[in-house]
C-alpha cells in the first residue's frame, strides 16, 4: 500500500480542504491518505475553533484514512519548523508523496532549494526572528523572493524533505479560489478559513452550508467554538504575574518584547486590543500571536527546542485503510508511535501537547488527552 | 501627640473590631489610632472579601485616624512574620503602644519571650515550616504551649517588638465573644469574621445588621465580594502550565508539595475541592492556602525574602488627626513613606503589592493602585 501525505490545520475543514484531498489522491495515485494535523494550537498562533478530536473526526468523514497530530512544538512555529515537523512525521510513516497548495506551483522549488543550500552561511541564520532576512538571502542566491505564504511554506517543505533519509515526491498544486486572508464568503463553493470562522462566530449557517461539508456545519453549530478572547483573561493574568525573566524565557520571545507585553497587559481590554498595542514594525501579527501562545502555555524556548529533537507519531484517528497502513509501517517506524496517553507520557514525552490541550480544555470543557483514544471510523460512524 | 497601634485585617470590619478600637483608645490614652491593615490578600492565605480601599474607608469611618497597608510579603505570612511586618511599621511610625486581642492575655508573654530568646538555637529554626516544632521549643523552654491562634500571635508581637530600637508598650486584651472560627451568627452584637463573611455571601442582611456597622453593611450590599473560588480558574491554569521547578520556587512551598499541587490541579473542580485533595496531616489548611496565594500571585520565596528587608509605610487613608500625626512623625520615619504609586514604585519598591492588587483587580474590577490616593476622611465623607 502506498500513501500520500497532507500537512493540515483543518480550522475547520471546508470545501477547499476536500479539493486538496481529492487532488492528493488523484495526483499521487496512492492507496491511503495520511493527514498530519495541528492539534489545538495553530501555526498563526491561535486556538483552533474546534478541538483536535472534532477536527480529526471531520477529516476522517471527509475521506482521510489516517490522522496524526502535529505536536504543539512544531504546530505553533514559523513556516520552516512547522514544515519540518510535518515532513518528519510523514517521512517516519513511510509516506511516498506530499501534496500541498502553493500560490505559484510552477516555481522551480527544487532549484531554489539547491541554490540556497549552497549559501549555507545565510541559511544558518534562518530562524523565527530572521524570516525576512532569510528571504533576502534567498533572493541573493536565486533572484527570487517568496512573498506568498504558501509559496514560502512550499519551499520549506522542500528544504525539510531534503533532510529525510528517503525523501518523498513533492507535488505542489495551484491554490484554488479563496485567498487565505479573504474575510468574507464571496463564492458559493469555496471560502477561506478566515471567512468560515468569521461566519461561524456570527452564526451565519446558511452562508456556511455552501462552503463546508455538512459534518463541519453540524459541528460548528453544536460544539463550543474557541477563539483568542476566550483565553485572554488567562494570558493577561499570566503576563501580570510572571517575572520579566520568566516571560523572557518563552519560546519566540524577542529581546525586549517581554517588557512591551508586560506593559500592554496592564491596560489592554481584550486580545485584539493587546496585540494591536504590542504591534510595531518589527513584528508581524502572526509572530506576536505565536509568542502570546507560548506565553499562555508557558512554553519556554528551552523545552520547545528539546522537544523538537524528540518528534513522534500521535494517532488521532483512522478508518480501515488507515489502520491497515499503520499496521504495514508499524515495524519500520523511525519515530515513537503513541495512540493513548498514560501518566508517564503525560509527564514526559507528551507533556507539552498535554499542557496545550489541558489549557484548551479549560475553555472548551472536553478532555483533550486523558481518556481519549483514536477514532476508528468504521466503528464510530457505522 | 501620642499614638496607639492596631494590627488588623478588617475582613470586613465588624463590631468586634469596634470594641478593639475603643479598648485601644481607652487603655492607651493615646490621641491618635493607627491601624496597619492587610491589603487584598490575608494572613490565612485568602483574598479579602472587600478590597483594601473599601476596608480602609470603613476603618476610618469606624474611628481609626490613620490606616496604612501591611505589604503582601508580610500579610500573607505565618504569624511571626505577619507580626514582625506590622510591628516594624508601627515602630517606624513612632507609635507608643500596641493593643491586641489574646485568648489568654493573662499569660506572661514577656517572660515567655525572654525565656525563649535564651534558647537561641531553637529560635533559629523558627520559620513557616517549623511552627509546630517551634512551639515544642517554647514548651521546652517555658513549659507553656500556645494552642490558641491569638495567643501565638500575641507572643509573636512580643518577639517582634524586642527587635525595635524603641519597643512599644504592649497591651494584650481579652478577646471577647465570638471565636475566630465560629461559623454562624449566634449573638446579636458580635460575630466572628468567618460568620460575617458567610452571612454576606448568603445575603443575610438582617442577621448582619446586628453585628457590623451600618457602613460595613452598606459596602457588603453594594460591592463585589471576593472569595477564593473567584480566583480558582487562574490558580488552576497557573498550576497546569507552570513547570515543577517554577512552582517549587513559590513562597512557602514545601519540598514535594509542588508535585501534589500540580497533580490535584488536573482534576479539582473548585478551590475547596483542590485544597481538600492536597491536604495531608503534614500541612494545615492555612498553610496550603498561603502557598496557593503565593502560586496565584507567582510570589517566589526569593522575592518575598528580599522584599521583607525593605518594608515601608504605605498610606491608605487618614482623617485630620491622622494627617497631623503623620506630619508630626514624617521627619523621623525610619521606613520609606509612600502615598501614591508611580511607574518606578510599581516596577520596584511596590511591585509585589502592585501585582497582588492587579490580580485582585482582575476579579474585583476596581483599580487597586494606579490612580488611587489615600482617603482623607474629612473631605471624602464631609
Amino acid at each position: 500500500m502506498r500513501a500520500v501525505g497532507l500537512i493540515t490545520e483543518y480550522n475547520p475543514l471546508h470545501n477547499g480542504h476536500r479539493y486538496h484531498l481529492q487532488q492528493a489522491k488523484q495526483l499521487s495515485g496512492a492507496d491511503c491518505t495520511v493527514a498530519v494535523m495541528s492539534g489545538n494550537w495553530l501555526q498563526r498562533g491561535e486556538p483552533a475553533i474546534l478541538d483536535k478530536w472534532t477536527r480529526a473526526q471531520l477529516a476522517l468523514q471527509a475521506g482521510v484514512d489516517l490522522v496524526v497530530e502535529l505536536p504543539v512544538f512544531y504546530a505553533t512555529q514559523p513556516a520552516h519548523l512547522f514544515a519540518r515537523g510535518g515532513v518528519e512525521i510523514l517521512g517516519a510513516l513511510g509516506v511516498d508523496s506530499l501534496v500541498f497548495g502553493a500560490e505559484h506551483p510552477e516555481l522551480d522549488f527544487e532549484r531554489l532549494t539547491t541554490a540556497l543550500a549552497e549559501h549555507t552561511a545565510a541559511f544558518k541564520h534562518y530562524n523565527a526572528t530572521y524570516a525576512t532576512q532569510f528571504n533576502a538571502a534567498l533572493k541573493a542566491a536565486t533572484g527570487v523572493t517568496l512573498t506568498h505564504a504558501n509559496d514560502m511554506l512550499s519551499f520549506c517543505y522542500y528544504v525539510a524533505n531534503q533532510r529525510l533519509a528517503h525523501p518523498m515526491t513533492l507535488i505542489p498544486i495551484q491554490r484554488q479560489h479563496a485567498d487565505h486572508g479573504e474575510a468574507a464568503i464571496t463564492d458559493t463553493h469555496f471560502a477561506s478559513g478566515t471567512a468560515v470562522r468569521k461566519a461561524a462566530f456570527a452564526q451565519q449557517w446558511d452562508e456556511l452550508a455552501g462552503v463546508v461539508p455538512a459534518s463541519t456545519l453540524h459541528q460548528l453549530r453544536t460544539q463550543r467554538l474557541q477563539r483568542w478572547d476566550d483565553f485572554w483573561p488567562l494570558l493577561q493574568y499570566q503576563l501580570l504575574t510572571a517575572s520579566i525573566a520568566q516571560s523572557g524565557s518563552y519560546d519566540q520571545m524577542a529581546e525586549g518584547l517581554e517588557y512591551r507585553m508586560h506593559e500592554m497587559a496592564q491596560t489592554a481590554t481584550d486580545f485584539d486590543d493587546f496585540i494591536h498595542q504590542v504591534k510595531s514594525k518589527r513584528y508581524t501579527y502572526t509572530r506576536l500571536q505565536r509568542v502570546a501562545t507560548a506565553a499562555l502555555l508557558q512554553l519556554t524556548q528551552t523545552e520547545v527546542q528539546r522537544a523538537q529533537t524528540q518528534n513522534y507519531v500521535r494517532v488521532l484517528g483512522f478508518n480501515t485503510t488507515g489502520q491497515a497502513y499503520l499496521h504495514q509501517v508499524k515495524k519500520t517506524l523511525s519515530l515513537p508511535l503513541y495512540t493513548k496517553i498514560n501518566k508517564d507520557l503525560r509527564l514526559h514525552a507528551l507533556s507539552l501537547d498535554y499542557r496545550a490541550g489541558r489549557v484548551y480544555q479549560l475553555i472548551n470543557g472536553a478532555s483533550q488527552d486523558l481518556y481519549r483514544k483514536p477514532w476508528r471510523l468504521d466503528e464510530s460512524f457505522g
Side-chain angles (χ1 to χ4, degrees), chain A:
Chain A
M1 207 167 12
R2 290 172 59 247
V4 60
L6 302 90
I7 297 176
T8 67
E9 300 217 291
Y10 294 155
N11 185 41
L13 193 138
H14 55 61
N15 290 350
H17 297 124
R18 287 210 290 197
Y19 171 82
H20 176 209
L21 178 61
Q22 177 202 329
Q23 288 286 301
K25 286 182 179 178
Q26 195 178 311
L27 295 172
S28 68
D31 315 293
C32 175
T33 50
V34 179
V36 179
M37 185 188 80
S38 299
N40 293 312
W41 298 91
L42 308 179
Q43 207 259 327
R44 286 156 57 127
E46 57 193 13
I49 189 168
L50 294 167
D51 73 22
K52 65 186 182 186
W53 294 100
T54 306
R55 283 155 47 241
Q57 189 183 32
L58 291 174
L60 293 168
Q61 288 170 325
V64 175
D65 298 310
L66 171 62
V67 184
V68 300
E69 180 173 358
L70 182 63
V72 66
F73 47 82
Y74 278 122
T76 60
Q77 295 293 317
H80 67 296
L81 291 167
F82 176 89
R84 184 195 296 173
V87 165
E88 245 181 48
I89 291 169
L90 292 175
L93 281 164
V95 165
D96 291 286
S97 54
L98 171 63
V99 177
F100 47 90
E103 286 86 359
H104 301 91
E106 71 280 7
L107 281 167
D108 190 346
F109 289 110
E110 208 73 54
R111 183 183 70 80
L112 297 181
T113 310
T114 312
L116 192 73
E118 284 160 9
H119 285 61
T120 41
F123 192 70
K124 278 190 178 152
H125 288 297
Y126 189 2
N127 66 31
T129 321
Y130 300 117
T132 314
Q133 188 178 318
F134 171 68
N135 224 326
L138 181 68
K139 182 159 191 183
T142 66
V144 171
T145 309
L146 299 176
T147 53
H148 290 77
N150 287 279
D151 285 344
M152 182 71 181
L153 190 56
S154 298
F155 175 76
C156 293
Y157 290 142
Y158 278 85
V159 174
N161 195 44
Q162 283 193 328
R163 295 166 52 109
L164 295 183
H166 304 288
M168 301 177 280
T169 303
L170 301 189
I171 311 177
I173 58 173
Q174 179 70 51
R175 278 185 69 84
Q176 296 294 317
H177 308 278
D179 263 320
H180 214 70
E182 195 69 52
I185 296 177
T186 52
D187 187 295
T188 47
H189 290 294
F190 293 98
S192 70
T194 306
V196 168
R197 291 190 294 278
K198 203 176 163 189
F201 282 114
Q203 308 198 326
Q204 297 170 336
W205 311 125
D206 290 347
E207 289 87 334
L208 279 169
V211 296
V212 302
S215 50
T216 296
L217 185 63
H218 173 72
Q219 298 289 7
L220 289 173
R221 290 186 76 150
T222 54
Q223 299 264 333
R224 196 193 189 292
L225 308 183
Q226 278 61 239
R227 53 179 147 188
W228 244 122
D229 271 340
D230 295 317
F231 297 92
W232 164 246
L234 300 177
L235 174 66
Q236 182 180 34
Y237 156 73
Q238 185 57 243
L239 291 171
L240 291 176
T241 55
S243 67
I244 286 286
Q246 198 177 321
S247 294
S249 74
Y250 297 143
D251 187 50
Q252 301 173 63
M253 187 70 84
E255 177 115 11
L257 185 56
E258 64 271 36
Y259 291 92
R260 208 171 157 83
M261 287 202 161
H262 267 244
E263 204 51 35
M264 301 314 174
Q266 304 299 326
T267 51
T269 53
D270 58 31
F271 184 73
D272 280 350
D273 181 37
F274 170 69
I275 290 288
H276 276 85
Q277 284 193 47
V278 174
K279 181 80 175 78
S280 72
K281 277 190 190 166
R282 222 171 135 183
Y283 313 109
T284 62
Y285 280 111
T286 304
R287 166 70 182 278
L288 293 175
Q289 292 200 157
R290 281 200 295 261
V291 175
T293 302
L296 177 73
L297 304 177
Q298 296 211 61
L299 293 172
T300 67
Q301 189 176 43
T302 310
E303 61 188 357
V304 165
Q305 290 182 347
R306 190 188 311 125
Q308 286 172 344
T309 66
Q310 296 161 355
N311 205 354
Y312 45 77
V313 177
R314 169 87 185 273
V315 180
L316 294 179
F318 43 76
N319 59 18
T320 316
T321 306
Q323 186 171 22
Y325 183 75
L326 209 48
H327 185 75
Q328 174 186 309
V329 297
K330 210 180 232 175
K331 287 193 181 136
T332 56
L333 269 186
S334 55
L335 290 176
L337 177 72
Y338 302 127
T339 52
K340 277 207 285 188
I341 202 163
N342 57 32
K343 189 168 177 181
D344 180 58
L345 290 176
R346 165 161 79 76
L347 294 177
H348 301 103
L350 295 180
S351 67
L352 301 190
D353 274 332
Y354 175 76
R355 193 195 304 169
R358 195 62 190 75
V359 172
Y360 192 86
Q361 182 185 337
L362 288 175
I363 302 299
N364 145 288
S367 177
Q368 292 303 304
D369 288 291
L370 301 180
Y371 323 116
R372 303 296 299 234
K373 58 179 202 291
W375 299 109
R376 291 164 178 265
L377 185 72
D378 303 325
E379 291 168 22
S380 308
F381 313 110

